[in-house]
Amino acid sequence: MSPATPTPGGVSIDCVDACVDFPIFDAKSRSLKKAVLGSAGGAIGRNSSNVVVVEALKDITLSLREGDRIGLVGHNGAGKSTLLRLLSGIYEPTRGAARIRGRVAPVFDLGVGMDPEITGYENIIIRGLFLGQTRKQMKAKIEEIADFTELGDYLDMPLRTYSTGMRVRLAMGVVTSIDPEILLLDEGIGAVDAEFMKKARVKLADLVSRSGMLVFASHSNEFLAQLCDSAMWIDHGRIRQRGSIEEIVTAYEGPEAGRSIAAYMERMTREG
Ligand SMILES: Nc1ncnc2c1ncn2[C@@H]1O[C@H](COP(=O)(O)OP(=O)(O)OP(=O)(O)O)[C@@H](O)[C@H]1O
């Protein structure tokens, strides 16, 4: 399908009882008890072959449709990133099913689609191809992307000479220049400095308004409220609750955080 062709019937994601387990072949059983009691991470158990597994996602049943802009909240290791990878098709469910219809742009794994040995310019093209663009489309917008990144002469240097934030700038430049149908964002993109982030947020908001569906994992309620209109609480690999941003922040962090995000959203609406 050409990158500009919309998916017939609209974009959608449907998961039914989807589970994702990570087998850990070199786990030390002595340390397991501690991990089970920890508040971070998914449950640790054993599969039918008695291999230790991390149950990163458990029985995820979820329907997402065109226009959905949903934020994911939850503790460290709750399963947010794993869910984004499941929704992008990068991970297959260990059990259950996940059906994805639409062109997905995953914006979390900065290493994917990038080559440390080639220049920033070349990586712009490569990453665009990875996200379903044609070489011609990428060449047409490479200068605009280069300007956005403000990386100057570094764009002629191999990517391995870049800092983490510089790589994020490059990846953000590419992703905000395309038109994905399903946008999956991880807050890891926050590795850039404050000045650049201000500019990137505007571009991201624009990208989100162009895309058919957004799922965004974030530890920042404000950032979540800027891009999403509903939220879902992931807790130890399960969907604990889905609802409005205010509802979910209140349930996850308590009434004070809920009131604070409600006031923030009101201010956002007032100021347009
Ligand atoms: N490649 C992997 N191999 C083994 N376990 C993994 C792997 N990736 C994630 N996990 C485990 O899966 C669980 C969910 O991790 P995930 O990264 O999805 O959490 P998260 O909600 O995104 O966390 P954070 O907010 O800290 O980024 C954790 O227990 C983690 O240890």
Side-chain angles (χ1 to χ4, degrees), residues 22 24 40-42 54 56 74-83 91 186 219:
F22 293 108
I24 315 292
V54 174
H75 59 84
N76 285 136
K80 303 178 295 296
S81 306
T82 308
L83 181 58
Y91 288 160
D186 203 323
H219 288 287

Side-chain angles (χ1 to χ4, degrees), residues 186-262:
D186 203 323
E187 201 189 40
I189 56 165
V192 288
D193 56 58
E195 197 53 37
F196 187 80
M197 199 62 209
K198 237 201 272 169
K199 183 170 99 168
R201 279 187 188 207
V202 176
K203 275 254 187 188
L204 266 180
D206 183 46
L207 172 69
V208 168
S209 66
R210 290 198 315 267
S211 62
M213 187 192 289
L214 166 75
V215 186
F216 176 36
S218 176
H219 288 287
S220 155
N221 294 337
E222 278 83 12
F223 203 176
L224 205 127
Q226 282 172 21
L227 299 183
C228 304
D229 55 18
S230 70
M232 194 157 73
W233 177 8
I234 307 296
D235 187 33
H236 292 96
R238 293 179 187 269
I239 298 174
R240 174 117 175 219
Q241 198 175 331
R242 196 174 160 179
S244 71
I245 292 179
E246 186 182 346
E247 264 164 20
I248 298 304
V249 169
T250 305
Y252 174 53
E253 283 183 48
E256 199 172 315
R259 277 193 295 274
S260 152
I261 199 62

